[in-house]
Amino acid sequence: MRPGRGTRPRTKQRPSYDDATAGRVVAVDRGRYRVVTTDGTRVNAVKARELNRTRTAVVVGDEVSLVGDISGRVDTLARMVALRERRTVLMRSAEDGDTVGVERPVVANADQLAVVVALTDPPPRPRMIDRILVAAYDAGMDPLLVLTKSDLTGPEELLAAYAALAVPAVVVGGMSKGPDGGTDPGADGERAPDLDEVRARLQDRVTVLVGHSGVGKSTLVNALVPEAERATSHVNVVTGRGRHTSSSAVALELPGGGLVIDTPGVRSFGLAHVSQADLLQAFTDLDEAAEQCPRGCTHAADAPDCALDAWAEGDPARSARLESFRRLAVALAATGPAWED
Ligand SMILES: Nc1nc2c(ncn2[C@@H]2O[C@H](COP(=O)(O)OP(=O)(O)O)[C@@H](O)[C@H]2O)c(=O)[nH]1
Ligand SMILES: [Mg+2]
Ligand SMILES: [Zn+2]
């Protein structure tokens, strides 16, 4: 686990414990937090009263300060007294119940978001991919496409749809889960999957994997992190209270350096907290051109006198980029379960 810059906790709250130990939250389960300290010790922790009072959600990837028993021995609990400022935060808005629009953090401090998409089974859902990309842009994370199950069908069509966005993509396949839930790299003399490219993309980065259930996130994590199997089949989290299926994310250290964060499958991705202006900001070239737009321009394909049309005219690369932006803007505006196409 890489320590944060400097050793003094930079907290939103006043640091009240000079002797606190820094660590990173790697799993959360019903009020219990699994924290890896800077020296690599795995510690179970609970929120101290002062942190509870702020009602701040602590999520996987958060950098925290611990006091109390940080030995990591069975049946010990440390207290989490402070939360360091986040560099990035992946947010999701609730989409149902009386919490519609209420945003909550999902993962903190990731710098790369990998949208994991199965080329088939389940079939790709372009609108969901677009919405997750919007969330990545909004959070200031570098997007990456990870296309799985290439042994079942080819990636060409999907790659073409994202070419204009210049989102890097890696293709993996030929992985399957053995009967014990472990990763079985190909049966009966099949070639072992080539993970070099995806490894290179994840190396030394903090990457959160997001995608529909069944696309192969956990299988990929198990292949990348050999020791992960016990901990990740169906995102099982080992806490002080034993092993549970967690509804939250889990962070695992990559053998070559870096962290990969597996998340439970998402069926929808609430973006109520993201505006079109937020999205446009991620497209710096378009954002600049849009300064010439009439007041209140929606920048949509049918917007009168949108300066983006003039900007793109006669330039295939710009046109493709504008089309991609508009497609993401449409995906962003889509609400409700309709996008679960
Ligand atoms: N054919 C094929 N199946 C895969 C591949 N990767 C994963 N699977 C299968 O897809 C199913 C879902 O995988 P899982 O990792 O649990 O998906 P998750 O819900 O995204 O974590 C399992 O039955 C895997 O064996 C692959 O590359 N090729
Ligand atoms: Mg999974
Ligand atoms: Zn415009």
Side-chain angles (χ1 to χ4, degrees):
M1 212 64 36
R2 215 160 285 98
R5 227 168 289 161
T7 48
R8 276 179 49 194
R10 283 177 296 131
T11 63
K12 281 181 186 166
Q13 299 83 31
R14 200 174 300 279
S16 39
Y17 298 90
D18 293 337
D19 57 346
T21 300
R24 189 197 300 259
V25 175
V26 295
V28 180
D29 181 46
R30 297 178 294 177
R32 294 284 172 97
Y33 301 83
R34 190 85 166 149
V35 180
V36 177
T37 64
T38 41
D39 70 3
T41 309
R42 304 177 72 80
V43 177
N44 292 314
V46 289
K47 273 186 186 174
R49 206 183 304 128
E50 49 267 62
L51 199 54
N52 239 337
R53 209 182 294 128
T54 64
R55 312 186 97 212
T56 318
V58 173
V59 297
V60 166
D62 263 326
E63 292 168 3
V64 297
S65 301
L66 298 179
V67 297
D69 193 333
I70 56 155
S71 66
R73 282 192 295 266
V74 185
D75 292 333
T76 60
L77 272 180
R79 283 182 304 128
M80 227 157 53
V81 290
L83 177 63
R84 293 193 189 193
E85 217 172 290
R86 293 166 174 158
R87 289 179 297 280
T88 66
V89 54
L90 176 65
M91 290 286 206
R92 242 183 112 179
S93 305
E95 286 194 319
D96 44 37
D98 19 283
T99 52
V100 174
V102 173
E103 61 190 285
R104 57 180 184 81
V106 184
V107 165
N109 298 320
D111 55 43
Q112 181 166 251
L113 185 152
V115 191
V116 187
V117 181
L119 290 160
T120 184
D121 186 27
R125 293 169 172 80
R127 193 128 54 99
M128 179 158 179
I129 301 169
D130 287 349
R131 285 177 69 88
I132 297 170
L133 287 176
V134 169
Y137 288 126
D138 179 61
M141 294 189 265
D142 297 327
L144 172 70
L145 274 176
V146 176
L147 310 182
T148 64
K149 310 197 187 185
S150 64
D151 51 307
L152 303 178
T153 191
E156 295 74 20
E157 204 183 319
L158 212 59
L159 287 174
Y162 289 90
L165 278 175
V167 177
V170 290
V171 180
V172 295
M175 294 186 291
S176 58
K177 223 181 251 179
D180 58 348
T183 301
D184 168 17
D188 314 325
E190 268 176 54
R191 228 160 47 84
D194 185 0
L195 293 173
D196 288 353
E197 213 185 331
V198 67
R199 274 199 191 97
R201 285 280 174 191
L202 305 191
Q203 167 109 37
D204 293 329
R205 306 206 62 176
V206 179
T207 305
V208 54
L209 307 181
V210 182
H212 199 277
S213 165
V215 295
K217 294 180 297 298
S218 299
T219 305
L220 179 64
V221 167
N222 287 339
L224 292 168
V225 187
E227 320 76 271
E229 270 169 23
R230 285 156 319 221
T232 59
S233 55
H234 303 104
V235 195
N236 279 334
V237 178
V238 182
T239 67
R241 286 180 290 179
R243 187 200 237 212
H244 303 288
T245 297
S246 168
S247 56
S248 99
V250 56
L252 293 142
E253 235 174 310
L254 291 160
L259 275 183
V260 62
I261 302 175
D262 191 12
T263 62
V266 287
R267 291 200 315 141
S268 61
F269 208 94
L271 293 172
H273 58 286
V274 184
S275 71
Q276 202 212 48
D278 295 332
L279 174 62
L280 188 57
Q281 269 179 22
F283 289 72
T284 39
D285 46 352
L286 276 72
D287 198 22
E288 203 185 308
E291 282 170 23
Q292 309 302 319
C293 283
R295 264 187 106 72
C297 182
T298 63
H299 315 307
D302 58 357
D305 303 320
C306 178
L308 297 178
D309 290 308
W311 174 81
E313 176 134 34
D315 186 324
R318 285 184 174 187
S319 299
R321 212 164 142 71
L322 175 56
E323 201 179 302
S324 293
F325 164 72
R326 284 180 170 157
R327 195 184 74 209
L328 293 194
V330 168
L332 167 60
T335 51
W339 75 297
E340 174 68 2
D341 37 3

